[in-house]
Amino acid sequence: MEDIITEIQYDDLIESTGNTPILSDSYSEVEREILIDVKDVSMLFRLPAEKIDNLKEYFIKFLKRKIKYKDFWVLKNINLQVRRGESLALIGRNGAGKSTLLRLIAGIMEPAKGEITTKGVMAPLLKLGAGFDSNATGKENIFLNGAILGFSKKEMAKKYNSIVEFSELGDFMNVPIKNYSSGMMARLGFSIAVDVKPDILIVDEILAVGDAPFQKKCRTRIKQLQDSGTTFIVVSHSMETLKSLCQKAIWLKDGKIELSGSVAEVSSSYLKYCNEVSLDK
Amino acid sequence: MAFLNNNKSKANIVMLKKSVFVLNSLVSKNIRAQYRNSTLGVVWTVLNPLLNMLVMALVFGQFFGRTMPNVDYPVYVLAGNTVFGLLRMTTTSGLTCMVENYDMLTKTRIPYYVFPVSHLLSAVVNFGFSFIALLIVMLIRIPNGVKFYWTMLMTIVPFLPALMLFSLGIALILATMYVRFRDIKHFYGVILTLWTYLTPLFYNDAILSPKVRYLMNFNPMYHFVKYFRDIVQSGIVPSLESHLIIYGCGIAALTIGLLAFGSQKKKFIMYI
């Protein structure tokens, strides 16, 4: 059953883009190892209707049985598989569940229903300053972040110079991160993530804060990683970036997969939909 | 199925390896952060307890020092504070650790236990520095009759592990509560002050009335402090009962802490 699904997706891809550089060579590509397997995943946010964060209110409300919860299904029955070396773009409007899906894949949250299995070293870049301690210096944070990704001090010491070089932040290594600009923070995070050569690289929007030359550098580096077999998942609202970096795309709408296929196909349908929405208003 | 299990245990080992690296990084950062931008740097970790002891000995020596003619008062004060310091540091920084590391919790994948444990280990390192300060004071006070006993070695085992279990347990309970109820921080500040005064750190429990001394038995820190002074200052090997008490307190606190933390940790992300 799974094989049929994947074959269909691959056929779609080859058909629509004509010459897909990595995927078109042979059927052996279909046999590539599945790195991310999302099976029938749903995610529920159970939020208290009002925020209660002190004891007094909690007890009063509890006694009166007035703690109300609001159930909110962010993701509904999501199925997807990503194989080694593939790159996937997640597209959708704000609140469609893109970031939640990334967090689930990264293992930060557990799904309410369904199962997610992943293989290999994963480097999630989910938000600015993730995995950083704002009071620590850039240098300390490189080691901290490396540790979070599963690398010892010794291993990070070997990577240290190339990370600093790539980030172009050599002068700021002894400055606490809290004094960094958002662009600098993104640079540091990205430089670490690509230097550890992950099997899976997950990027949520953060590339947008870098300046043009750095963005270009990032794209080149991501392409290099892709060629060496890194699986890449990205969320972005810039269709141009997505088209240049990804082959496949998934459009999420209200927590469901609206459309999946080649990036060109999905992004054009999505843009069409966006135009309709803005015309309606 | 066997393959699945194997995969799972492999993942657990990777997680453990990761936790060790992160702990290492967090602890060294915590220690350095304490005295960042100070000229004397790490020297403060020893100097701080020394100076504190000096102040206490000067101020309280006149009031309480006379009530204990048989023990050296500065060593008495410093020994008590060294023990209480570990609890104070682990619990006050452990209390806020889940909330303060919000960014790491919501955007990276590391076991939550890493944060409270990192504060415990930082406090243990500090305990080591305070212990050096204690040794210095004891050396200086040799002319006043201070002696070194072999029982001092019992600090490392069995004393320290019991104190660590106890402090971590309390820190886990507080960290869990603080995620839900931010009042705990202020509340615990008051409790801690009270606890400090209810533990004979700078006074001799012999001056208390029999009734209060009986109640003192219900203060776990009283037993920890007494145990430590016995092995360091008096050269007494504590009774089996003392050992059972400190380990009993340690294991009980940690069990409650782990149960509370474990049952709530999946909800942390929703409340922070």
Side-chain angles (χ1 to χ4, degrees):
Chain A
M1 186 60 198
E2 280 172 16
D3 277 350
I4 297 171
I5 294 170
T6 25
E7 266 176 52
I8 293 170
Q9 286 170 343
Y10 274 84
D11 284 346
D12 281 354
L13 257 176
I14 295 163
E15 214 175 26
S16 53
T17 43
N19 55 340
T20 36
I22 297 175
L23 299 173
S24 61
D25 34 334
S26 73
Y27 256 83
S28 71
E29 296 299 336
V30 181
E31 304 300 321
R32 274 172 189 261
E33 193 185 0
I34 295 171
L35 287 191
I36 301 170
D37 192 1
V38 177
K39 272 187 204 150
D40 209 23
V41 161
S42 301
M43 186 63 189
L44 169 75
F45 279 157
R46 194 174 182 215
L47 301 168
E50 48 192 320
K51 195 167 169 98
I52 300 169
D53 64 358
N54 67 65
L55 271 170
K56 192 185 82 188
E57 260 179 70
Y58 183 83
F59 277 119
I60 294 172
K61 294 271 158 67
F62 181 77
L63 291 174
K64 289 183 179 168
R65 305 200 176 279
K66 254 192 172 171
I67 302 176
K68 284 179 201 153
Y69 293 99
K70 212 166 44 183
D71 281 0
F72 179 55
W73 288 94
V74 212
L75 293 172
K76 293 162 209 157
N77 305 87
I78 302 288
N79 278 295
L80 69 97
Q81 288 180 338
V82 191
R83 288 168 189 269
R84 184 176 288 284
E86 280 184 338
S87 48
L88 173 71
L90 294 180
I91 303 174
R93 299 190 61 190
N94 299 135
K98 305 180 296 284
S99 297
T100 306
L101 183 55
L102 286 191
R103 280 192 191 181
L104 288 173
I105 291 173
I108 292 157
M109 295 194 287
E110 280 176 33
K113 283 185 202 161
E115 203 187 345
I116 296 176
T117 40
T118 55
K119 279 186 203 162
V121 175
M122 178 153 36
L125 281 173
L126 293 185
K127 220 164 246 168
L128 270 183
F132 287 150
D133 183 310
S134 59
N135 285 314
T137 64
K139 188 174 177 180
E140 286 166 341
N141 268 305
I142 289 181
F143 286 94
L144 177 63
N145 207 287
I148 291 170
L149 295 171
F151 293 88
S152 69
K153 251 184 191 164
K154 237 186 197 169
E155 289 169 296
M156 286 314 286
K158 278 184 210 155
K159 298 174 192 296
Y160 180 74
N161 282 336
S162 63
I163 291 174
V164 175
E165 195 186 322
F166 188 82
S167 68
E168 300 166 22
L169 291 170
D171 299 338
F172 304 98
M173 274 303 120
N174 293 317
V175 176
I177 292 268
K178 61 184 171 195
N179 298 336
Y180 277 28
S181 70
S182 49
M184 287 158 78
M185 207 114 91
R187 271 167 186 248
L188 192 61
F190 187 82
S191 308
I192 299 167
V194 295
D195 208 272
V196 301
K197 301 202 174 56
D199 296 300
I200 304 169
L201 177 63
I202 297 181
V203 178
D204 189 356
E205 278 293 353
I206 66 160
L207 289 183
V209 279
D211 53 25
F214 190 74
Q215 278 193 29
K216 203 179 159 199
K217 202 163 143 186
C218 289
R219 268 180 226 163
T220 326
R221 182 56 76 92
I222 289 174
K223 287 234 165 89
Q224 280 171 8
L225 284 175
Q226 281 174 347
D227 290 344
S228 61
T230 294
T231 295
F232 178 61
I233 303 187
V234 62
V235 164
S236 176
H237 292 288
S238 151
M239 294 302 144
E240 290 314 308
T241 312
L242 293 180
K243 274 183 197 162
S244 72
L245 289 174
C246 300
Q247 302 135 17
K248 284 167 79 176
I250 282 177
W251 169 13
L252 282 178
K253 190 182 166 193
D254 303 326
K256 287 183 206 148
I257 295 181
E258 176 83 4
L259 187 67
S260 78
S262 76
V263 73
E265 189 188 338
V266 175
S267 63
S268 67
S269 318
Y270 175 67
L271 287 176
K272 211 187 274 170
Y273 160 79
C274 286
N275 281 335
E276 281 167 21
V277 170
S278 42
L279 280 180
D280 282 350
K281 289 177 183 169
Chain B
M1 204 54 206
F3 169 75
L4 204 83
N5 280 335
N6 187 19
N7 234 351
K8 214 169 188 178
S9 67
K10 215 168 151 189
N12 282 338
I13 291 170
V14 171
M15 239 6 186
L16 191 71
K17 207 176 96 184
K18 217 188 235 193
S19 315
V20 172
F21 297 156
V22 175
L23 271 179
N24 196 333
S25 190
L26 285 176
V27 171
S28 61
K29 191 211 73 199
N30 282 348
I31 301 287
R32 259 175 293 158
Q34 267 186 319
Y35 299 102
R36 172 165 292 135
N37 298 334
S38 60
T39 326
L40 289 175
V42 183
V43 179
W44 275 114
T45 46
V46 178
L47 212 53
N48 210 351
L50 266 182
L51 293 176
N52 267 325
M53 183 278 309
L54 202 66
V55 171
M56 286 208 142
L58 275 176
V59 176
F60 293 121
Q62 293 305 312
F63 301 109
F64 299 105
R66 290 175 194 163
T67 62
M68 38 188 130
N70 298 325
V71 289
D72 188 64
Y73 189 70
V75 176
Y76 182 87
V77 170
L78 191 54
N81 275 310
T82 306
V83 173
F84 209 87
L86 191 139
L87 175 89
R88 184 184 293 123
M89 196 175 156
T90 311
T91 51
T92 46
S93 51
L95 171 78
T96 53
C97 69
M98 301 316 287
V99 176
E100 268 172 12
N101 289 298
Y102 170 74
D103 255 6
M104 296 234 211
L105 296 184
T106 51
K107 288 147 209 157
T108 57
R109 183 189 193 178
I110 29 178
Y112 288 2
Y113 291 102
V114 158
F115 299 106
V117 173
S118 81
H119 287 293
L120 170 71
L121 295 182
S122 312
V124 170
V125 174
N126 255 30
F127 179 87
F129 287 120
S130 301
F131 199 80
I132 294 172
L134 180 65
L135 291 179
I136 294 172
V137 173
M138 285 176 77
L139 276 174
I140 297 170
R141 300 292 289 185
I142 284 179
N144 300 59
V146 170
K147 290 195 187 92
F148 284 84
Y149 300 97
W150 72 268
T151 47
M152 192 184 255
L153 295 175
M154 290 176 76
T155 306
I156 304 168
V157 174
F159 176 70
L160 198 52
L163 183 59
M164 284 166 71
L165 293 178
F166 183 72
S167 306
L168 181 62
I170 304 286
L172 285 173
I173 297 168
L174 291 170
T176 310
M177 288 165 82
Y178 186 58
V179 172
R180 288 296 299 273
F181 306 111
R182 301 296 155 89
D183 328 37
I184 298 295
K185 189 179 176 183
H186 309 286
F187 191 62
Y188 184 66
V190 179
I191 296 288
L192 194 62
T193 312
L194 187 67
W195 203 354
T196 312
Y197 287 118
L198 287 182
T199 309
L201 297 180
F202 50 82
Y203 58 86
N204 186 354
D205 56 310
I207 61 170
L208 300 170
S209 69
K211 210 175 171 185
V212 180
R213 263 169 75 187
Y214 172 73
L215 288 176
M216 194 61 96
N217 281 318
F218 296 100
N219 173 6
M221 284 317 281
Y222 167 69
H223 297 283
F224 281 105
V225 168
K226 192 168 175 305
Y227 185 106
F228 186 66
R229 281 182 183 143
D230 277 351
I231 57 173
V232 171
Q233 212 173 357
S234 318
I236 300 170
V237 177
S239 63
L240 179 67
E241 196 193 343
S242 312
H243 284 94
L244 289 178
I245 291 174
I246 59 169
Y247 271 91
C249 290
I251 291 168
L254 188 68
T255 310
I256 299 171
L258 286 177
L259 287 177
F261 196 82
S263 68
Q264 294 294 314
K265 70 174 180 182
K266 279 187 186 168
K267 297 181 189 161
F268 283 169
I269 224 167
M270 305 279 185
Y271 287 112
I272 294 176

